[in-house]
């Protein structure tokens, strides 16, 4: 069943009824993530589980990309990608996400950082070289947990 209402309005009528809430690629796009997490905490049953799939900011690709831009004296930064709609409004790392969740009585139980090691290309020689380099960086980033995605399991206390 699809309901056309905000999560905040839904939480007012359904407090404590969900055993699990899944947020895939959502939190980084909203203008008030604190309000959304407060609503999630209200919706979750005691000991209910929250799963969040969210970008990890910063990550190895943004760190290296920003360093390259500094060397080349370019003003752009690569944080809060993508640079096309729907844009990321907020960036999170494990510490900032944990703080937001803990303020709402939700404790992080597991964080996994991983990125699919494949960058697409336009098939030009330059595009293929960039895609190859990006793919190798993502493979490398998976080893020390500096990848671009976070998968977070948390539980309402």
């Amino acid at each position: 069943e699809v309901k056309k209402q905000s999560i905040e309005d839904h939480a007012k009528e359904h407090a404590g009824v969900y055993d699990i809430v899944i947020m895939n690629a959502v939190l980084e796009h909203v203008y008030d993530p604190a309000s959304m997490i407060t609503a999630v905490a209200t919706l979750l049953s005691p000991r209910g589980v929250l799963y969040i799939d969210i970008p990890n900011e910063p990550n190895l690709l943004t760190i290296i990309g920003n360093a390259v831009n500094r060397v080349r004296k370019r003003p752009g930064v690569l944080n809060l990608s993508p640079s096309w709609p729907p844009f990321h409004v907020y960036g999170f790392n494990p510490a900032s996400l944990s703080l937001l969740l803990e303020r709402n009585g939700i404790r992080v139980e597991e964080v996994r950082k991983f990125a699919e090691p494949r960058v697409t290309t336009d098939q030009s020689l330059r595009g293929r070289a960039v895609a190859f380099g990006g793919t190798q960086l993502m493979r490398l980033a998976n080893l020390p947990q500096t990848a671009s995605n976070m998968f977070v399991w948390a539980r309402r206390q």
Side-chain angles (χ1 to χ4, degrees), residues 115-156:
E116 178 63 37
R118 183 182 65 236
V119 176
T120 59
T121 178
D122 62 10
Q123 296 303 316
S124 69
L125 183 58
R126 182 181 187 283
R128 289 192 318 232
V130 168
F132 177 79
T135 298
Q136 300 316 310
L137 277 175
M138 286 203 297
R139 282 190 175 125
L140 178 64
N142 285 335
L143 299 175
Q145 294 285 296
T146 57
S148 58
N149 290 72
M150 282 193 298
F151 306 96
V152 180
W153 290 94
R155 186 177 301 275
R156 181 173 167 222

Side-chain angles (χ1 to χ4, degrees), residues 12-76:
K12 291 174 188 172
E13 303 166 8
H14 298 88
V17 300
Y18 292 95
D19 293 328
I20 187 166
V21 172
I22 298 170
M23 300 176 73
N24 278 349
V26 173
L27 198 58
E28 66 273 19
H29 296 281
V30 300
Y31 289 99
D32 191 353
S35 176
M36 181 172 271
I37 293 300
T38 297
V40 167
T42 300
L43 289 167
L44 281 171
S45 62
R47 305 281 301 146
V49 173
L50 171 61
Y51 172 79
I52 301 176
D53 172 358
I54 192 167
N56 177 37
E57 295 279 351
N59 57 69
L60 185 61
L61 289 176
T62 60
I63 291 166
I64 290 173
N66 290 336
V68 168
N69 278 347
R70 281 192 303 276
V71 168
R72 296 176 78 184
K73 300 194 185 317
R74 292 186 173 177

Side-chain angles (χ1 to χ4, degrees), residues 82-104:
S83 55
W84 59 87
F87 301 104
H88 292 177
V89 181
Y90 284 95
F92 294 91
N93 60 37
S96 64
L97 184 59
S98 292
L99 181 62
L100 177 60
L101 296 175
E102 288 171 7
R103 287 182 176 172
N104 288 281

